[in-house]
Amino acid sequence: MNNNLLDTIALLSRTPAALDALLRDLPETWTFRNEGESTWTPFDVVGHLIRGERTDWLSRAKRILQFGESKAFEPFDRFAQQRESQGKSLAQLLEEFERLRSENLTELGAMNLRAEDLARRARHPALGVVTLSQLLAAWAVHDLTHLHQISRVMAHQYRDAVGPWSAYLGVLHCTGHSEA
Amino acid sequence: MNNNLLDTIALLSRTPAALDALLRDLPETWTFRNEGESTWTPFDVVGHLIRGERTDWLSRAKRILQFGESKAFEPFDRFAQQRESQGKSLAQLLEEFERLRSENLTELGAMNLRAEDLARRARHPALGVVTLSQLLAAWAVHDLTHLHQISRVMAHQYRDAVGPWSAYLGVLHCTGHSEA
């Protein structure tokens, strides 16, 4: 495997344990509050990451190998977790994410991707032509985008509590940059 | 203890394990690269967090209880980790952070802070009057600021690798908001 793919897999394999260590059994002040109307709580984010494991990232990788540019991706459903997380605890979601990610990385490893596979092209419904290599890199940075978001959402809950220190705490000055 | 203090301690107690799960044995692509000249790597950030445990947050809390507004804080040395982390591995730093944080939280718990203690005032060299409650909240949000920074620094390493997906990955649009 090439270095880039090994780096990608190394990061993807750590995210579930990192989120578990950060969030499990944490008071709901941190995990069940958002940044205002139509924004996500850390609980919502973990549900979104589960959806990505279940239907998006690896499925798209397989689709690239099978169809190349001849069949565009299905768009992501960014609100699926509102239905799919209902009635579950955060601990259950963290375990589900860990299990699905682990299964997906096992399957990814078994695909034995070579350089020519990673260069395969596909059609993204909005972004145009992309490669398998870019898809796998985006899977890893998608984890980081949501870790970045979770740290921001949590910090927001203490915006008033820190008083004048807010001037020095960069995370409180982050406006989010996108819906994620 | 009041709820806010319990929430603060719950978060402070999880950060070392979360960083360990994310960073330990990760390829150096992720842990030893920064965002350009005069910026920090994740390795630098963990060194900075250690410095905070060793000389800043808890020391300031004790100083507030002892001296109140009569003696201003010493400024933080934001570059101490450049000397203090030299020759150490990331795994060593992660263990040192975990040990120091755990010792500090034990000491904080033993202080049995009451509402009137948390309202005690102090003088920050730049920010003016602050309270012990605000200091402890800022300690927690300081962790989140650096988790936010680490996710951004790591994502930066894949800025080119994700190709057109950069448009959708919010963390790649974060400019940092401050030196942290």
Side-chain angles (χ1 to χ4, degrees):
Chain A
M1 284 197 278
N2 78 359
N3 279 338
N4 195 280
L5 182 56
L6 290 171
D7 290 346
T8 298
I9 291 171
L11 177 56
L12 287 171
S13 70
R14 276 161 181 79
T15 309
L19 290 181
D20 194 280
L22 182 66
L23 299 177
R24 183 184 288 253
D25 300 328
L26 203 58
E28 297 194 355
T29 299
W30 300 117
T31 54
F32 281 86
R33 293 195 193 163
N34 64 16
E35 296 172 292
E37 203 182 344
S38 303
T39 63
W40 291 1
T41 66
F43 178 85
D44 295 330
V45 173
V46 178
H48 168 73
L49 290 168
I50 286 172
R51 174 72 181 195
E53 294 309 299
R54 209 180 273 296
T55 67
D56 299 327
W57 298 103
L58 190 67
S59 304
R60 285 184 169 188
K62 291 191 276 192
R63 194 176 176 119
I64 294 177
L65 294 175
Q66 194 175 357
F67 299 108
E69 293 181 66
S70 67
K71 201 169 167 182
F73 298 141
E74 302 292 332
F76 278 16
D77 179 352
R78 295 186 56 261
F79 300 96
Q81 70 276 2
Q82 291 173 356
R83 302 184 303 276
E84 295 170 358
S85 299
Q86 262 183 9
K88 295 182 183 168
S89 69
L90 178 56
Q92 284 175 308
L93 293 191
L94 289 164
E95 284 157 23
E96 195 173 345
F97 178 45
E98 188 134 28
R99 180 177 56 75
L100 291 168
R101 173 61 59 87
S102 168
E103 289 170 5
N104 284 345
L105 291 181
T106 300
E107 195 169 342
L108 179 67
M111 287 159 74
N112 284 313
L113 297 174
R114 300 153 304 169
E116 56 266 40
D117 297 320
L118 292 169
R120 288 285 299 272
R121 293 151 60 101
R123 222 162 8 102
H124 185 284
L127 299 173
V129 172
V130 292
T131 67
L132 176 56
S133 172
Q134 289 168 345
L135 173 85
L136 297 175
W139 188 5
V141 177
H142 181 261
D143 279 8
L144 294 171
T145 277
H146 287 293
L147 186 59
H148 185 258
Q149 177 188 27
I150 285 173
S151 63
R152 189 187 70 233
V153 174
M154 290 170 70
H156 176 72
Q157 313 313 324
Y158 262 30
R159 191 173 290 281
D160 295 332
V162 301
W165 260 288
S166 62
Y168 284 180
L169 296 164
V171 66
L172 292 173
H173 302 273
C174 183
T175 52
H177 325 293
S178 80
E179 291 179 73
Chain B
M1 284 197 280
N2 76 0
N3 278 339
N4 194 280
L5 182 57
L6 290 171
D7 290 346
T8 298
I9 291 172
L11 176 57
L12 287 170
S13 70
R14 277 161 179 79
T15 310
L19 289 180
D20 194 281
L22 182 67
L23 299 176
R24 183 184 287 254
D25 300 328
L26 203 59
E28 296 194 355
T29 299
W30 299 117
T31 54
F32 282 85
R33 293 196 192 161
N34 64 17
E35 296 172 292
E37 202 181 342
S38 303
T39 63
W40 291 1
T41 66
F43 178 84
D44 295 330
V45 173
V46 179
H48 168 72
L49 290 169
I50 287 172
R51 173 72 180 192
E53 294 309 300
R54 210 180 272 295
T55 68
D56 299 327
W57 297 104
L58 190 66
S59 305
R60 285 184 167 189
K62 291 191 277 192
R63 195 177 175 116
I64 293 177
L65 292 176
Q66 196 175 356
F67 300 109
E69 293 181 67
S70 67
K71 203 168 167 183
F73 297 141
E74 301 292 332
F76 277 17
D77 179 351
R78 295 185 57 262
F79 300 97
Q81 69 277 1
Q82 292 173 357
R83 304 183 302 277
E84 295 171 358
S85 299
Q86 261 182 11
K88 295 183 182 165
S89 69
L90 178 56
Q92 285 175 305
L93 292 190
L94 290 165
E95 283 157 23
E96 195 172 346
F97 178 44
E98 187 135 28
R99 181 177 56 75
L100 291 168
R101 172 61 59 88
S102 167
E103 290 170 4
N104 284 344
L105 291 182
T106 299
E107 195 170 342
L108 180 66
M111 288 160 74
N112 283 314
L113 297 174
R114 299 153 303 168
E116 57 265 39
D117 297 321
L118 293 169
R120 288 285 300 270
R121 292 151 62 101
R123 221 158 15 97
H124 185 284
L127 298 173
V129 172
V130 292
T131 65
L132 176 55
S133 172
Q134 289 167 345
L135 173 85
L136 298 174
W139 188 4
V141 177
H142 182 261
D143 278 9
L144 294 171
T145 276
H146 288 293
L147 186 60
H148 184 259
Q149 177 187 28
I150 284 173
S151 63
R152 187 187 72 232
V153 174
M154 291 170 70
H156 176 72
Q157 313 313 324
Y158 263 30
R159 193 172 290 282
D160 295 332
V162 301
W165 261 288
S166 63
Y168 285 179
L169 296 164
V171 67
L172 293 172
H173 302 272
C174 183
T175 53
H177 325 291
S178 79
E179 291 179 72

